[in-house]
Amino acid sequence: MRTHRLAVALASSTVLALALTACGEGDAESESVGTAATEPTDTTVTPTATAASVSASASASTSATATGQATKGAGSQGSGNVGGTGAGATKTSSAGTGSGSAKPLDCTTGSLKFAVKEVKSPINHVLITATNTGSKACSIYSYPALRLSDVQQSVTARIGQSKPQAVVTLDRGATAYAGLITASVDRNSQTKVTTSSIGLSLFGPDEGPTESGADLPVPGGSLYVELDNALVTYWQDNANDALAW
């Protein structure tokens, strides 16, 4: 009887030991699996790889931007230098040539054809013209120096307000104009004369007298003038401005 109970007790002890061993192994496996699941291997590797990738991309982008800016800057500078040099050289050359070779001569009575023309309006006016018959352009200065009579003491007075802003330059075949007021409206003067021609000479750049002038026949062979009331305009480049006074 004791032997049987001892055998049962031993058997129970063995079963219990086996159960405890099994539980210990299960707990060890669970602990091992839990430890493996919480290892930060993937978490550590991934951020490192991402950071390296971002850093590499940023470096590449910065390098590309710097290279592009350097290339653009060099290209712009080169284009500016070429354009500036070309435009500047052309402009300077053109301006120099134009101002040097095209400078007009001074007009002379020998290179001009003069005429006195009657006009309907305004009254008591005639138009004096000077046409360039020379082969080159010339400048005609100030106003025509006129002598309307042999008894005239000085050239006919000018209308100061008629002075143009620039000297009139005549190309070949071009004409300059001057308006001559011959008398007052009421024609009441003590210095009235009748003339068949008008003496004309030119002024130089300093308004000094030039060579001897020309005698211009008047329309119809006779022109009534009043020496104290006669006035002449500066040379103009068109007839309207010459007759506007």
Side-chain angles (χ1 to χ4, degrees):
M1 187 66 169
R2 282 183 179 179
T3 303
H4 176 73
R5 286 181 179 177
L6 180 58
V8 172
L10 290 173
S12 297
S13 297
T14 302
V15 172
L16 180 58
L18 290 173
L20 291 174
T21 302
C23 288
E25 290 178 356
D27 291 341
E29 286 183 2
S30 298
E31 183 177 355
S32 176
V33 171
T35 303
T38 58
E39 278 188 348
T41 304
D42 294 339
T43 303
T44 304
V45 171
T46 301
T48 303
T50 303
S53 176
V54 171
S55 177
S57 299
S59 299
S61 177
T62 303
S63 177
T65 302
T67 303
Q69 290 177 346
T71 303
K72 183 178 179 180
S76 299
Q77 184 177 1
S79 176
N81 289 339
V82 172
T85 301
T90 301
K91 185 174 181 181
T92 303
S93 175
S94 176
T97 302
S99 61
S101 62
K103 184 177 180 180
L105 305 173
D106 294 343
C107 294
T108 64
T109 54
S111 64
L112 298 172
K113 181 180 180 180
F114 300 100
V116 178
K117 298 182 179 181
E118 185 178 7
V119 297
K120 294 180 180 180
S121 178
I123 61 172
N124 300 327
H125 280 66
V126 293
L127 187 65
I128 300 173
T129 62
T131 302
N132 182 10
T133 57
S135 60
K136 297 180 179 180
C138 69
S139 295
I140 188 167
Y141 300 98
S142 299
Y143 58 96
L146 302 181
R147 290 192 174 275
L148 306 178
S149 170
D150 292 339
V151 298
Q152 189 175 344
Q153 299 298 315
S154 60
V155 297
T156 301
R158 71 186 184 278
I159 302 174
Q161 297 91 332
S162 68
K163 186 176 182 178
Q165 293 183 351
V167 174
V168 175
T169 298
L170 303 176
D171 290 331
R172 182 179 181 182
T175 300
Y177 305 85
L180 171 62
I181 300 174
T182 57
S184 59
V185 175
D186 58 9
R187 291 198 173 196
N188 184 15
S189 172
Q190 299 299 318
T191 59
K192 55 186 177 183
V193 296
T194 299
T195 183
S196 59
S197 65
I198 295 176
L200 182 152
S201 60
L202 299 176
F203 285 111
D206 57 354
E207 292 197 2
T210 60
E211 80 283 354
S212 59
D215 287 328
L216 312 181
V218 299
S222 178
L223 181 66
Y224 171 84
V225 295
E226 297 173 356
L227 299 181
D228 57 347
N229 292 323
L231 294 169
V232 66
T233 69
Y234 279 79
W235 290 112
Q236 311 290 331
D237 60 6
N238 66 88
N240 290 335
D241 287 346
L243 296 174
W245 306 90

